[in-house]
Amino acid sequence: MHVVKYMFQQHGDARGMLVALEERRDIPFEIKRVYYLYDTGQGVRRGFHAHKSLEQILVCIHGSCKILLDNGHEKKVAALEKPYEGLYIANDIWREMYDFSPDAVLLVLASDFYREEDYIRDYDEFLKSINHK
Ligand code: T46
């Protein structure tokens, strides 16, 4: 499995840094939703699901965290610790987020609105769904 990380362009000057994200330019899909996770408790692991069709880009805009990616055959861990790097997660990938630093803010850009029907929250069901494809 290939871990796809985007390095966004940083616009820096003496005043500080700025990153701009535009759909279909910096982000490979139309952005329908933005959400963010913060104040994640120490030792907490979350996610534990795959999406049937949703694509997302995760950016840890403050602090750091780790993401386990599992395509049913192979697992990879991606560390997010820079506000200018984005992790692309396609559909049909099981994900778990963990090792959040106390100050972590994980921003997510998503290709669709929130739809519970798009989630696969059972790991065996996830394996069955990818093996049927
Ligand atoms: C994902 C990872 C990276 C909403 O009402 N709207 C939303 O857009 C989202 C994302 C969540 N919610 C509600 C549903 C739950 O009651 O917020 C609560 C927490 O959501 P969830 O348990 O799904 O959070 P995570 O951290 O397990 O997963 C989230 C996303 O749901 C998921 O798509 O890929 O972050």
Side-chain angles (χ1 to χ4, degrees):
M1 181 184 15
H2 199 58
V3 173
V4 181
K5 260 195 190 176
Y6 287 79
M7 292 296 160
F8 303 125
Q9 189 184 352
Q10 299 175 74
H11 304 272
D13 59 28
R15 298 168 298 169
M17 306 303 291
L18 185 154
V19 169
L21 303 176
E22 299 188 1
E23 69 179 23
R24 301 233 174 259
R25 292 185 180 165
D26 311 282
I27 303 299
F29 49 75
E30 197 182 321
I31 302 162
K32 291 253 185 75
R33 178 167 50 111
V34 175
Y35 62 91
Y36 43 93
L37 282 65
Y38 59 98
D39 278 354
T40 308
Q42 216 188 347
V44 165
R45 204 169 172 104
R46 53 190 302 171
F48 296 96
H49 59 258
H51 281 284
K52 294 175 190 166
S53 64
L54 191 73
E55 296 173 83
Q56 304 192 105
I57 295 263
L58 279 59
V59 188
C60 201
I61 55 171
H62 197 253
S64 62
C65 66
K66 291 198 179 88
I67 321 287
L68 171 89
L69 302 171
D70 176 354
N71 65 5
H73 304 287
E74 204 185 342
K75 295 178 190 190
K76 288 265 171 77
V77 172
L80 286 179
E81 43 203 25
K82 305 282 181 208
Y84 52 82
E85 62 183 18
L87 175 69
Y88 173 74
I89 309 186
N91 60 317
D92 288 338
I93 300 286
W94 186 266
R95 81 282 321 265
E96 295 171 21
M97 299 87 78
Y98 62 103
D99 261 8
F100 286 85
S101 62
D103 57 350
V105 180
L106 181 62
L107 177 80
V108 183
L109 308 174
S111 66
D112 206 353
F113 301 116
Y114 176 72
R115 290 191 302 117
E116 186 56 40
E117 317 86 80
D118 192 65
Y119 285 72
I120 304 176
R121 294 190 182 272
D122 179 87
Y123 190 71
D124 290 334
E125 193 192 320
F126 163 65
L127 291 180
K128 270 187 215 148
S129 81
I130 51 168
N131 289 327
H132 277 110
K133 286 187 179 167

